[in-house]
Amino acid sequence: MKAFVMPQVGSTAVVDKPIPEPGPNEVVVKTTHALICTSDVHTVGGTLPVEPGVTLGHEALGTVHALGSNVTGFAEGQRVAVNAVTPCFQCRYCQTGYTSQCGGPLGGYQYTAQRDGNMAEYFVVPYAKGNLAPIPDVVSSEAAVYACDMLSTGFMGAEHCELRIGDTVAVFAQGAVGLSATLGAHLLGASRIFAVESIPERQKLAETFGATDIIDFTAGDPVQQILEATGGEGVDAAIEALGSPITWEACLRVIKAGGRVSNVGYHGEHPEPLQVPLDAFGLGMADKTIRSGLCPGGNDRMQRIFALIASGRFDPTVMTTHTFAFDDVETAFDYMANKRDGVIKPLITF
């Protein structure tokens, strides 16, 4: 089979690898659709230590090719998807509700980090009974693939805000995760959603997903813009969806006393420690909460997201700006790495 790999830091290639065989609790999927993630770009850039030659990718779906001997409830040829995070559901972290931290910090993130990823013609789903999800007939594969990471992660960003009906929230950056966080805040009943973004196309998508106010940071300090729009009070919650020290600090400054910061941005590109401004933190006594997280996995979460898509609550495919055949995956990766042509998410078809 063909697989998209990182031979060494800073380079990618398409190589031949053997079609994998499933272990007793695994399923092998024949890939039909995948997305390239900014996390893949970070990995190739050297921010995540991985083995040379590892297969990239963690957002893919397809049809069941082969079932492990212990796996029931699925059939060959069935259309299925798996989350970017594939926990064991047996360790203490999983049993206490932190499935994305399976076995230890970030341990549920196995694709590429601990095993071959799924940007290949075939891939393995570990702990398949807990992680593999059937795709409803009414949900297209082009839409379902967004449940693998972007929607699950963005929704987590909104969920960690502990939003109450009518709360206000600011979402810093409107890439695919930020857009999904905006959508999640809308679905959870936020009354006012401030989407911080300067690119017009992303601003329009943010409004499509429920943003009520667009904050263009090129027009002035976004914190001041939001404070002015809220009568100086600030918002109930803020979501950091970029992975930048600047937006991290802005989240702390824009929330009111008792507010919540939800971090879903990846901060691995900035080696310096993140700062907590003491004035914004009320010298440690302003009842402000910081919550972080990694994309939640499991077939139940996937099926819940599929149900939202099936009922017509939203259409995630509006985030697909480009489509490439797998033969052109290296070009697609270049688009993502260098943000060419207004790319948000490139869809790869097999």
Side-chain angles (χ1 to χ4, degrees), residues 175-238:
V177 168
L179 286 165
S180 298
T182 294
L183 174 59
H186 173 63
L187 292 170
L188 289 171
S191 64
R192 201 169 182 187
I193 302 171
F194 296 88
V196 182
E197 180 57 64
S198 65
I199 300 173
E201 292 77 13
R202 297 187 181 200
Q203 292 174 343
K204 292 176 183 176
L205 285 177
E207 291 178 329
T208 297
F209 282 169
T212 58
D213 298 74
I214 300 297
I215 303 297
D216 186 342
F217 59 84
T218 65
D221 181 0
V223 172
Q224 290 304 313
Q225 292 185 62
I226 295 170
L227 289 175
E228 290 173 7
T230 57
E233 186 176 40
V235 291
D236 294 295

Side-chain angles (χ1 to χ4, degrees), residues 1-8 11-19 52-56 116 119-122 326-327 329-330 350:
M1 70 173 187
K2 300 293 184 183
F4 182 54
V5 307
M6 187 189 83
Q8 59 187 6
S11 68
T12 62
V14 176
V15 301
D16 287 320
K17 287 190 174 186
I19 296 174
V54 71
T55 302
L56 297 164
D116 271 343
M119 188 65 76
E121 292 178 314
Y122 296 85
F326 183 58
D327 288 344
V329 66
E330 291 191 88
F350 289 74

